[in-house]
Amino acid sequence: MAEPSPAVRVSTLELFFDLVFVFTITQLAETLAEDLTLRTFGDVLLILFVVWWMYSGYAWLTNAVAPSSTTRRTLLLTGMAGFLVMALAIPEAFGEYGWLFGVSYLVVNVVHGLLFRTAGPAARQAQRLLGPLNIASALLVLAGGLVPEPWRHLLWVAAPLLQVATGYIHNIEMHTISAGHFAERHGLVVIIAIGESIIAIGAGFHGLHLGSGEILVAVLGLWVAYYLWWFYFAGDDARAEHVLARTDNPRRRARLALNAWGYAHYVILLGIIVAAVGIKKTVGHAFEALHWDAALVLSGGLALYLVGHAAFLALLRLRGVLHRLAAAAVILATIPLGHMLAIAQLVAIALIMTAAAIIEDIPEVRRSGSTAIGDFGRSAGQPD
């Protein structure tokens, strides 16, 4: 669909909404850090998917329905309350508070449907099938919170399967997508999630003596977070926005938005969660050997982030895919280092990410330099 309004940007209320949503990311990281097992990791995968699906739903919503009236702002506040309660219930989403998570998730879905009713005719038409399908997935999550195992997990698995099918069943091309707003909204979530991960890591230092090991881990954690920012925001975010803006076919545009900013970003956020857990596991143990599971999540989280961003770039047919995949593979190779010495793995990861970013950036610097020389030559009346 043609760009409806290039000047539309993310409002401060939407940013406020994103801050509440990212609390769910923090809670998932805390939950995994406290019980680093395959079962908990599977639960994190399920919770993140259903929560991210509805966050994406709100991003698509405010892309078409600006929170510009009292009614819309009040409904959006209600949705924020639902996300907050969901986040509080996450540690026991498969236990005591499964029903609370389910009820708040249903509220989020109902509010989403009500807000879409205030949109234009095309958005309301898309919502006629999307709304009931979203409510059905929310009811599966709620039912999962009320029944015992194995039905609980079976219903939870059914919910994301229905959500994936929803992307193909309803008329996705009926959604209006403002590329600038859409890309900015998702970019803000990524940078907030990276920031929240630093806060979560910092909280792990509470009560510890700040020796050389602790300070080194803190600095390296910031170093790694900086390169997470670099890989996403050092130009690729703007290039991605331009690709979406230039995609004129409505169905292709909507499908690209769903796949690149929906599914690929799910992997990116999962990587941030897992990486934060891995770095937290090194706090207080910098000069000790990590258990294999801690070393695995430290490298695995960063590799997931890079693979997710590689998928994002591949979907948009942008450069940098091979750089990220190669960096992810080399980072995974550092796992044995962590099993010998935690700080050795963290230093190696930081150096690998730095080298990968610089190597990728060299051709861009050369092109910029050549352009600058050519411009100087033309301004001086010289041939290029």
Side-chain angles (χ1 to χ4, degrees), residues 173-330:
E173 66 272 16
M174 299 301 296
H175 292 278
T176 299
I177 299 174
S178 172
H181 179 280
F182 196 81
E184 183 183 12
R185 184 78 188 273
H186 287 81
L188 284 170
V189 165
V190 172
I191 194 63
I192 294 169
I194 292 172
E196 284 291 324
S197 70
I198 295 174
I199 293 172
I201 293 166
F205 287 88
H206 181 71
L208 291 180
H209 172 72
L210 293 180
S212 58
E214 287 71 26
I215 293 172
L216 189 54
V217 168
V219 172
L220 288 170
L222 179 62
W223 184 345
V224 169
Y226 169 73
Y227 280 98
L228 293 181
W229 170 86
W230 181 310
F231 278 111
Y232 190 100
F233 292 99
D236 287 326
D237 55 330
R239 284 187 282 269
E241 177 185 329
H242 294 154
V243 171
L244 186 61
R246 291 195 305 266
T247 304
D248 293 325
N249 181 280
R251 186 167 186 81
R252 164 69 180 156
R253 186 185 182 93
R255 184 62 55 197
L256 189 61
L258 177 61
N259 292 338
W261 280 270
Y263 299 135
H265 275 64
Y266 167 77
V267 181
I268 288 171
L269 288 175
L270 178 63
I272 293 172
I273 291 170
V274 178
V277 172
I279 295 173
K280 282 192 72 170
K281 291 295 182 181
T282 68
V283 174
H285 307 284
F287 299 111
E288 301 173 16
L290 290 176
H291 292 294
W292 282 110
D293 56 357
L296 176 61
V297 296
L298 176 55
S299 288
L302 296 167
L304 275 172
Y305 180 92
L306 291 170
V307 169
H309 198 245
F312 174 68
L313 296 178
L315 287 164
L316 296 165
R317 299 182 181 178
L318 293 173
R319 64 173 180 82
V321 174
L322 292 180
H323 282 87
R324 283 153 182 75
L325 293 178
V330 178

Side-chain angles (χ1 to χ4, degrees), residues 32 37-47 94 153 266:
L32 184 59
T37 61
L38 280 175
R39 180 185 177 88
T40 303
F41 180 67
D43 292 346
V44 167
L45 290 176
L46 289 172
I47 295 171
F94 287 92
H153 272 84
Y266 167 77

Side-chain angles (χ1 to χ4, degrees), residues 82-121:
F83 270 104
L84 177 62
V85 175
M86 273 196 297
L88 293 172
I90 277 175
E92 287 294 328
F94 287 92
E96 180 183 1
Y97 296 129
W99 67 271
L100 182 59
F101 185 98
V103 169
S104 55
Y105 191 66
L106 180 60
V107 168
V108 166
N109 278 265
V110 170
V111 170
H112 180 261
L114 291 174
L115 273 166
F116 251 120
R117 291 179 66 87
T118 69

